[in-house]
Amino acid sequence: MRNWERWWRRRTGAGLVRHVACAVALVAILVGARVAAQESPDDVIGEIRVEGAERIEPATIYSYMTVRAGDPFDPEEIDESLKSLFRTGLFADVVLSREGTILVVSVIENPIINRIAFEGNRRIEDETLEAEVQSRPRVVYTRTRVQNDVARILEVYRRSGRFAASVEPKVIQLEQNRVDLVFEIDEGPLTGIRRISFIGNEAYSDSELRDEVLTAETGFFDFLTSDDNYDPDRLDFDRELLRRFYYREGYADFRVISTVAELTPNREEFFITFTLDEGDRYRFGTVEIVTTLPNLDVEDLRSEVTTEEGDWYNADEVDESITLLTNAVGDLQYAFVDVRPQVTRDRDELTVNVTYEVNEGPRVFVERIDIIGNVRTVDRVIRREIELVEGDPFNSSRLRRSEARIRNLGFFGDVEVNAVPGSAPDRTVIEVEVSERSTGELSIGAGFSTNDGPIGDISLRERNLLGQGQELVISGTLSGSSSQINLSFTEPYLFERDLSGGFDVFRVTNDNQDESSFDETSLGFALRAGYPLADRLRQTVRYLLERREVENVSPFASRFIRDQEGVTVRSLVGHTITYDQLDSRIQPTDGYILTFGNEFAGIGGDVTYLSTTLGGSIYFPLLDEVVLSLGAEAGHIFGIGEDVGINDRFFVGGDNLRGFETAGIGPRDGNSDALGGNTFAVGTVEVEFPLGLPEEFGITGRGFSDFGVLTDVDEESVAGGSPADQIFESNSLRVSVGAGVSWESPFGPVRLDFGFPVLKEDFDETETFRFSFGTRF
């Protein structure tokens, strides 16, 4: 029984295998026959033929396709090849068709751009537009690229405030499938600002807030400024200006909710709307100073903090206090200082508590100093004004002073000094970026005197000779009463040390016939040297040698004038000590400056005297762009063994006492000739302020009051003498008031002053109007 079962199983298993194998073979034969039927020669690409190509080789076209000869005619692959050819941008049209076993590729090539031109662009140069467009000569022309170029050109015009501009591209067909591409531009008018409105402002009116933002409504003076043109970037800056204004006024929760610019239908003007949330107004609460620095007494720093408890909160004062604290601690020889304010708001009491944390900052050293933007000025001229060198501990106070020193050179229109991270955490790189401006100066001054008529002077000055920081001046003055020629040269750093040196050569002729009935001619030279005595304290010494001649004395002159006739030689040494705490020498707004000088004549020569002068000025910033300045100067001269000559005495009037003409006050003889004086004192009080015009106009106003006195001559009236030999002298104070305007015009600085004497003597000579103008190159 068991043998039978084993035999049956072997027989049925082998048969099953044979049956399965036969079935598989049959299926393979059927499938192979079907595939062979599908891949018959009529359904396979036998050849690919390119038609219409002129510049592009057929092999290049083949390389872009996804099908090849020998591949089946698969509609999906053929469609992908069509898309691939279009994506190249080389063809205006592509058609794939079948002719039997041939795949025909018919192309129309895009033309090549021969030339690009711009027409109608008067406000923007071709070079600017060429830099914006992507189309180029000898590049394939495509509609997509040209459309993008049109959008770029329109964006350029929008950035310049012309939202009504339109651009129409024109294509001029040329032979050999080339085209000229012309962008026809209608620039349209400037898109102005019809109205700037504010929503949500309760503390300040719309007009007050308009004064705080940079964007301005189009008005009468719109041709002199671009701030009345719509600029999205300027609008973002306006949001920041509003934030600073409200933070300065105590609104610590202020925010700008939205800014909307709506263009009028004619695309010529915008309506600007700021939506504000002013929030509550805060006062300063507690103001504290804490420190972890050893041996630093915070009580010594309290005078540097401008924020006081009970005052309205002012974010600018917090920033100013941080700067003052940093500088003060740095001046105490703490090289690494970090001052951080911890500000907490008490919304119930509406106060802001401020704690200034004075801690040791990270130990950072100067890795290197990079100077950027100086095309003409050599690096060492800038580098020697920087109080830090490579390897020094970084000090923000010295960095700030270095920036001020570079600005005071007057060689650059803008100066930015920043510290950026160096190659390691304890290294910093100081970047000094400057933008050079013209340092050559051709100035022409003019004035008017009731006696002399027009007065003119011309000066040719180069303050940065050959980029070396040297100064050369050639000047001349011509008027109805005088002429002067002067050559001056100054080297600010002799032998690469903080030692200035220079010389002056001059010839001066004064026609004083109307003023003092004589002429005077001086010919001479001077040598100068200056050096620092301490920080901000500097001394200048000089030697002067000149030959002077008083001539052409009127026969009707008083004996005080006739006795001066002849030739004298003056040889003197002098010095001046200057202590300068001004924030800027060019346009000071804060700080003070003091000067003290002596002159001794008698190192040879014909005259011997000692002269002393003392002067100073102080500046106070009252409000934004409003500066109060006080100035005074006094001097005294006395002869040693002889009287002081008329050409060595002091004269007051004109620039140092407006409202009075040059030498307009002081002792006079019976002929009304000015005799000068041995003692003088003058002073001025002046307020400079904006006139409400856009800042870029460069126009400011001022009100002033000048006062002074000139007295003391060695001569005395001749008893019983002629009327000419009488001296009229008064030590009374003279005072004038007036107003003036300054304009930094495109032609140079223009200055006009109107002065009116309110205290004077009958024998004084007055002058109401005085002006000067100049031009620079």
Side-chain angles (χ1 to χ4, degrees):
M1 183 68 180
R2 292 177 181 172
N3 293 335
W4 170 255
E5 290 178 352
R6 288 195 295 268
W7 176 85
W8 174 252
R9 288 173 180 168
R10 288 197 300 269
R11 295 288 294 177
T12 55
L16 180 60
V17 171
R18 286 195 297 271
H19 285 298
V20 171
C22 291
V24 171
L26 179 60
V27 171
I29 292 171
L30 293 175
V31 172
R34 184 176 180 183
V35 170
Q38 289 180 345
E39 294 182 354
S40 64
D42 292 339
D43 291 329
V44 175
I45 300 174
E47 179 188 351
I48 299 176
R49 186 172 71 233
V50 176
E51 296 179 352
E54 297 180 5
R55 301 184 315 275
I56 304 172
E57 295 293 331
T60 303
I61 297 177
Y62 297 152
S63 68
Y64 292 124
M65 300 176 63
T66 62
V67 296
R68 299 289 184 270
D71 292 345
F73 279 100
D74 187 339
E76 293 183 0
E77 290 295 328
I78 291 174
D79 184 60
E80 183 61 32
S81 295
L82 181 66
K83 293 178 181 177
S84 178
L85 290 171
F86 269 114
R87 282 195 296 266
T88 64
L90 298 173
F91 310 105
D93 193 17
V94 180
V95 176
L96 300 184
S97 61
R98 177 178 178 179
E99 294 181 2
T101 61
I102 301 174
L103 178 61
V104 181
V105 182
S106 300
V107 299
I108 299 177
E109 295 178 351
N110 275 326
I112 294 293
I113 298 174
N114 176 64
R115 184 174 64 92
I116 298 177
F118 303 92
E119 295 182 356
N121 54 313
R122 296 185 301 275
R123 304 292 180 180
I124 300 179
E125 299 292 336
D126 286 2
E127 292 77 8
T128 302
L129 298 178
E130 287 172 355
E132 293 291 334
V133 299
Q134 294 180 336
S135 299
R136 294 286 186 272
R138 298 182 297 279
V139 173
V140 175
Y141 167 88
T142 64
R143 292 181 180 178
T144 301
R145 184 180 291 121
V146 172
Q147 290 172 353
N148 292 336
D149 290 341
V150 169
R152 287 172 179 269
I153 294 172
L154 289 175
E155 181 61 27
V156 171
Y157 275 97
R158 286 175 181 146
R159 288 200 303 263
S160 66
R162 295 180 181 272
F163 279 75
S166 62
V167 180
E168 184 70 24
K170 299 292 184 182
V171 177
I172 302 174
Q173 297 290 340
L174 303 175
E175 59 182 8
Q176 299 178 352
N177 199 24
R178 295 177 301 121
V179 296
D180 284 344
L181 178 58
V182 180
F183 293 98
E184 294 184 354
I185 302 172
D186 180 3
E187 296 182 322
L190 283 169
T191 307
I193 308 296
R194 180 181 295 183
R195 173 65 61 182
I196 300 176
S197 302
F198 299 87
I199 298 175
N201 54 309
E202 297 179 357
Y204 301 96
S205 65
D206 282 14
S207 61
E208 290 175 306
L209 295 181
R210 289 190 198 105
D211 292 337
E212 297 300 326
V213 298
L214 189 59
T215 303
E217 295 178 350
T218 302
F220 177 74
F221 294 102
D222 60 340
F223 65 95
L224 293 174
T225 179
S226 61
D227 288 344
D228 64 331
N229 300 331
Y230 174 73
D231 185 341
D233 294 335
R234 188 189 300 125
L235 215 58
D236 290 339
F237 185 57
D238 288 337
R239 295 166 63 99
E240 177 63 17
L241 290 176
L242 287 171
R243 186 190 69 84
R244 293 179 186 177
F245 169 72
Y246 271 94
Y247 280 18
R248 190 167 58 245
E249 297 299 325
Y251 293 85
D253 296 330
F254 170 81
R255 62 193 180 99
V256 179
I257 299 175
S258 66
T259 304
V260 178
E262 297 177 284
L263 187 61
T264 57
N266 61 4
R267 304 180 66 84
E268 293 184 359
E269 290 181 303
F270 272 95
F271 290 92
I272 308 295
T273 304
F274 294 91
T275 302
L276 314 177
D277 180 7
E278 292 183 328
D280 294 319
R281 194 177 188 188
Y282 289 75
R283 292 183 181 271
F284 280 113
T286 59
V287 178
E288 301 291 339
I289 305 175
V290 297
T291 183
T292 58
L293 293 175
N295 303 321
L296 178 62
D297 188 355
V298 295
E299 295 301 323
D300 295 337
L301 302 176
R302 292 206 175 271
S303 61
E304 304 295 335
V305 177
T306 62
T307 54
E308 295 184 9
E309 184 175 351
D311 289 349
W312 290 114
Y313 172 73
N314 187 329
D316 285 356
E317 287 191 5
V318 175
D319 293 338
E320 183 181 357
S321 296
I322 294 172
T323 301
L324 293 174
L325 286 170
T326 302
N327 295 336
V329 178
D331 292 339
L332 294 175
Q333 305 307 313
Y334 289 87
F336 307 101
V337 181
D338 182 28
V339 180
R340 295 179 181 269
Q342 297 299 325
V343 178
T344 58
R345 300 179 193 174
D346 186 336
R347 288 185 167 84
D348 295 331
E349 299 295 331
L350 294 181
T351 58
V352 176
N353 303 318
V354 183
T355 300
Y356 298 98
E357 295 183 351
V358 183
N359 301 314
E360 183 177 12
R363 301 182 67 84
V364 179
F365 297 87
V366 178
E367 180 176 2
R368 70 176 187 272
I369 299 173
D370 294 338
I371 300 175
I372 307 169
N374 55 318
V375 178
R376 180 167 174 263
T377 305
V378 298
D379 278 8
R380 61 181 176 82
V381 172
I382 302 173
R383 193 175 291 272
R384 65 197 183 193
E385 301 297 333
I386 302 174
E387 296 186 0
L388 296 167
V389 298
E390 286 83 351
D392 280 355
F394 177 76
N395 186 296
S396 59
S397 176
R398 296 173 67 185
L399 189 68
R400 175 184 58 84
R401 291 200 301 267
S402 299
E403 181 174 355
R405 285 166 61 97
I406 297 173
R407 290 183 184 276
N408 287 336
L409 290 174
F411 302 162
F412 310 106
D414 191 23
V415 177
E416 289 189 10
V417 180
N418 298 305
V420 299
S423 59
D426 63 344
R427 296 288 184 267
T428 188
V429 175
I430 296 176
E431 288 188 351
V432 181
E433 186 172 359
V434 299
S435 60
E436 292 192 306
R437 65 182 180 187
S438 297
T439 54
E441 190 173 299
L442 173 64
S443 64
I444 301 174
F448 183 81
S449 167
T450 55
N451 288 338
D452 299 334
I455 303 172
D457 67 82
I458 183 170
S459 174
L460 180 64
R461 180 186 184 192
E462 174 54 62
R463 294 176 289 113
N464 188 14
L465 187 64
L466 302 177
Q468 302 292 323
Q470 301 162 338
E471 182 179 59
L472 178 67
V473 179
I474 303 174
S475 62
T477 301
L478 179 65
S479 71
S481 61
S482 66
S483 65
Q484 176 177 335
I485 298 176
N486 180 70
L487 171 64
S488 175
F489 176 80
T490 302
E491 167 57 66
Y493 277 80
L494 278 174
F495 315 116
E496 293 302 318
R497 300 172 65 90
D498 192 3
L499 172 66
S500 64
F503 66 85
D504 303 280
V505 180
F506 56 88
R507 185 182 188 279
V508 181
T509 300
N510 289 317
D511 180 356
N512 298 318
Q513 292 296 333
D514 292 337
E515 192 174 73
S516 299
S517 300
F518 71 92
D519 296 336
E520 180 185 13
T521 301
S522 299
L523 177 64
F525 72 92
L527 301 176
R528 296 173 278 107
Y531 48 88
L533 297 175
D535 186 30
R536 296 183 177 271
L537 184 65
R538 191 173 185 88
Q539 183 173 33
T540 301
V541 296
R542 69 172 184 144
Y543 171 75
L544 171 71
L545 178 65
E546 67 173 328
R547 177 187 183 276
R548 304 176 299 176
E549 182 176 6
V550 175
E551 56 187 345
N552 299 328
V553 177
S554 170
F556 304 103
S558 66
R559 70 173 184 86
F560 312 118
I561 305 295
R562 295 197 306 270
D563 290 345
Q564 305 293 324
E565 191 170 12
V567 176
T568 57
V569 176
R570 180 169 64 160
S571 175
L572 65 82
V573 292
H575 79 103
T576 302
I577 296 177
T578 303
Y579 184 68
D580 187 350
Q581 282 283 1
L582 295 177
D583 61 342
S584 170
R585 296 177 191 168
I586 299 173
Q587 192 173 1
T589 60
D590 194 8
Y592 60 92
I593 184 171
L594 301 174
T595 60
F596 172 77
N598 296 107
E599 287 184 351
F600 172 70
I603 312 297
D606 302 324
V607 296
T608 305
Y609 66 78
L610 180 63
S611 171
T612 300
T613 58
L614 176 66
S617 298
I618 186 169
Y619 296 81
F620 302 94
L622 299 181
L623 300 170
D624 288 342
E625 301 180 17
V626 178
V627 178
L628 169 66
S629 61
L630 308 175
E633 185 180 11
H636 178 69
I637 184 174
F638 63 91
I640 300 176
E642 60 185 46
D643 292 341
V644 178
I646 191 173
N647 42 11
D648 293 319
R649 299 172 188 154
F650 299 111
F651 291 86
V652 173
D655 290 335
N656 61 357
L657 188 60
R658 289 164 288 189
F660 296 86
E661 68 176 56
T662 302
I665 72 169
R668 294 181 179 274
D669 62 20
N671 291 333
S672 294
D673 288 334
L675 300 178
N678 294 347
T679 303
F680 83 99
V682 294
T684 183
V685 178
E686 182 172 298
V687 176
E688 186 173 6
F689 50 85
L691 294 177
L693 300 173
E695 185 177 352
E696 59 267 26
F697 288 6
I699 300 178
T700 58
R702 60 182 167 273
F704 63 84
S705 176
D706 292 347
F707 46 91
V709 63
L710 175 67
T711 186
D712 187 17
V713 291
D714 294 328
E715 291 91 348
E716 296 180 354
S717 297
V718 179
S722 66
D725 293 337
Q726 305 301 310
I727 294 179
F728 298 89
E729 179 182 4
S730 173
N731 57 4
S732 63
L733 184 69
R734 276 73 156 186
V735 180
S736 68
V737 296
V741 175
S742 294
W743 177 30
E744 292 294 331
S745 76
F747 311 102
V750 177
R751 183 182 178 96
L752 301 94
D753 284 307
F754 295 86
F756 304 94
V758 294
L759 290 178
K760 68 182 188 69
E761 296 295 330
D762 293 339
F763 51 84
D764 292 335
E765 300 291 343
T766 61
E767 176 183 78
T768 302
F769 175 63
R770 190 173 187 86
F771 79 96
S772 66
F773 65 92
T775 185
R776 293 189 174 98
F777 66 91

